[in-house]
């Protein structure tokens, strides 16, 4: 049987795991309003904690672990296990947690999905230059942008956050103002035309992948095995990168700005995908700076934008 998180193989407490599981249980038991299990699991992941197999925590995994009676040194009938030793939770804490979990709404209405305007590499932390992620601080908070906390494999700083309802309107105003500058609209149309030509070239390259794989297969017998595997991997990676590039470019090429005369009116009625496409067309990167003036601080002063039109 796989060991239970919080304990060592063969018995005995795992102090490190027990400590973070106790904190997680406290967040589930004591927070008001109640904190969703998925939010607590994400908090554990952000702190660098992992499940016994080494994977990321999920809300379901966390509640299943904490609902195991052995987490409190109890058997299946809820009776203390003789000679069990120190447990992660006390029986009282365990039963209190079970009551709390049982009182939670089992089918809470799902929160509306939010389409972020500047995630997926468009925005980055002004402190560490790591890409910003879209997230909510808790179950009741609105959408926001944040630099993720650092981990062993992620060199982010975790210091910068900004609410989406402050960042996105300011970014939209900057993009629309830039579009109204003399010559910028023409530059964007030229960039869009270049992107369409690149899509055509990339699609032709992707379509030719089958022939390249066939040619590689034909000479397989004359190649060293390691060389063949390296060539095959390079070909697959090339196709994957081309497809990713096409997906990116298609967001740019489909923005209908050729005949736009009132760009503000267009923006206000445009679907989110078109708004995002215009941002991607106009902007190379949006750096989000740390807050220096509280809630009333001008959000524009927290944005440093690299314009694609400056490079055209």
């Amino acid at each position: 049987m796989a060991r239970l998180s919080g304990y060592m193989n063969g018995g005995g407490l795992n102090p490190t795991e027990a400590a973070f599981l106790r904190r997680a249980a406290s967040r589930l038991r004591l927070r008001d309003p109640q904190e969703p299990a998925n939010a607590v699991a994400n908090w554990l992941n952000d702190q660098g904690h992992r499940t016994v197999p080494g994977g990321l925590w999920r809300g379901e995994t966390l509640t299943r672990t904490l609902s195991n009676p052995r987490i409190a040194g109890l058997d299946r009938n809820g009776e203390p296990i003789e000679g069990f030793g120190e447990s992660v939770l006390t029986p009282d804490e365990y039963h209190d947690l079970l009551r709390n979990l049982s009182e939670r709404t089992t089918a809470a209405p799902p929160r509306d999905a939010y389409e972020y305007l500047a995630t997926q590499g468009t925005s980055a932390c002004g402190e560490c230059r790591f890409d910003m992620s879209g997230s909510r601080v808790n179950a009741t908070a609105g959408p926001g942008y944040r630099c993720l906390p650092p981990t062993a494999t992620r060199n982010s700083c975790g210091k910068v956050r900004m609410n989406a309802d402050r960042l996105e309107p300011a970014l939209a105003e900057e993009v629309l103002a830039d579009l109204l500058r003399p010559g910028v609209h023409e530059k964007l149309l030229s960039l869009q035309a270049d992107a369409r030509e690149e899509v055509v070239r990339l699609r032709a390259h992707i379509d030719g992948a089958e022939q390249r794989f066939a040619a590689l297969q034909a000479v397989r017998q004359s190649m060293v095995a390691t060389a063949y595997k390296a060539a095959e991997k390079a070909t697959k990676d090339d196709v994957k990168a081309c497809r990713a590039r096409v997906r990116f470019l298609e967001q740019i090429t489909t923005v209908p700005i050729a005949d736009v005369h009132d760009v503000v009116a267009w923006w206000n009625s445009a679907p989110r995908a078109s708004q995002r496409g215009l941002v991607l067309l106009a902007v190379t990167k949006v750096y989000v700076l740390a807050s220096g003036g509280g809630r009333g601080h001008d959000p524009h002063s927290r944005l440093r934008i690299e314009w694609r039109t400056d490079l055209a």
Side-chain angles (χ1 to χ4, degrees), residues 2-312:
R3 75 174 179 90
L4 180 65
S5 184
Y7 298 100
M8 306 290 288
N9 280 320
L13 204 68
N14 181 313
T16 300
E17 294 179 356
F20 73 68
L21 286 173
R22 285 166 180 161
R23 292 196 296 272
S26 294
R27 292 174 77 106
L28 290 171
R29 289 172 51 230
L30 305 177
R31 288 294 179 97
D32 186 17
Q34 290 179 337
E35 191 169 13
N38 281 334
V40 179
N42 288 337
W43 169 76
L44 287 177
N45 295 329
D46 288 344
Q47 298 298 311
H49 302 303
R50 296 295 181 262
T51 62
V52 170
L56 295 175
W57 284 97
R58 295 182 297 127
E60 180 184 359
T61 308
L62 179 61
T63 56
R64 185 170 62 246
T65 298
L66 294 174
S67 298
N68 189 319
R70 289 180 59 239
I71 209 77
L74 305 175
D75 62 21
R76 294 181 179 179
N77 298 319
E79 298 296 327
I81 300 173
E82 185 176 355
F84 188 86
E86 186 180 1
S87 57
V88 175
L89 301 180
T90 67
D92 286 344
E93 290 171 337
Y94 172 71
H95 291 303
D96 183 51
L97 176 62
L98 287 188
R99 283 193 296 271
N100 185 290
L101 293 175
S102 67
E103 290 171 358
R104 290 168 179 255
T105 304
T106 57
R111 217 167 28 190
D112 290 339
Y114 185 79
E115 293 184 77
Y116 288 90
L117 185 63
T119 52
Q120 300 177 4
T122 304
S123 59
C125 174
E127 296 287 322
C128 66
R129 302 298 173 112
F130 201 86
D131 285 348
M132 300 287 277
S133 295
S135 68
R136 300 175 190 256
V137 177
N138 55 51
T140 60
Y145 292 75
R146 71 164 179 162
C147 178
L148 295 173
T151 67
T153 58
R154 185 172 62 218
N155 296 322
S156 51
C157 69
K159 296 179 180 178
V160 177
R161 292 177 181 266
M162 191 170 183
N163 291 344
D165 62 3
R166 288 173 58 77
L167 185 154
E168 293 180 351
L171 175 58
E173 290 175 11
E174 296 283 354
V175 169
L176 296 178
D178 184 68
L179 186 57
L180 295 174
R181 288 192 297 123
V184 169
H185 187 237
E186 290 74 14
K187 284 185 177 181
L188 291 181
L189 291 176
S190 177
L191 286 169
Q192 206 173 42
D194 291 343
R196 291 192 181 100
E197 292 179 2
E198 186 177 354
V199 167
V200 172
R201 292 194 300 270
L202 288 172
R203 287 199 177 280
H205 185 68
I206 293 169
D207 291 341
E210 187 174 343
Q211 291 181 338
R212 293 194 296 277
F213 278 116
L216 186 60
Q217 185 71 29
V219 297
R220 181 173 186 173
Q221 298 302 320
S222 62
M223 297 178 68
V224 177
T226 54
Y228 173 80
K229 289 181 179 179
E232 184 182 48
K233 182 179 184 303
T235 304
K236 289 180 178 179
D237 289 345
D238 173 61
V239 173
K240 182 178 179 181
C242 287
R243 285 173 175 161
R245 178 67 175 169
V246 167
R247 287 194 296 271
F248 169 77
L249 291 173
E250 284 179 340
Q251 296 180 78
I252 292 176
T253 59
T254 55
V255 182
I257 62 169
D259 298 319
V260 171
H261 301 291
D262 188 344
V263 67
V264 175
W266 172 84
W267 178 275
N268 290 335
S269 61
R272 193 61 155 179
S274 294
Q275 293 178 340
R276 181 175 173 80
L278 179 57
V279 171
L280 291 173
L281 179 59
V283 168
T284 302
K285 188 74 75 173
V286 180
Y287 291 103
V288 184
L289 308 183
S291 176
R295 293 179 61 85
H297 200 58
D298 180 10
H300 293 266
S301 66
R302 294 189 58 191
L303 305 182
R304 292 290 180 270
I305 301 175
E306 290 182 354
W307 297 102
R308 201 176 301 278
T309 49
D310 290 340
L311 304 175

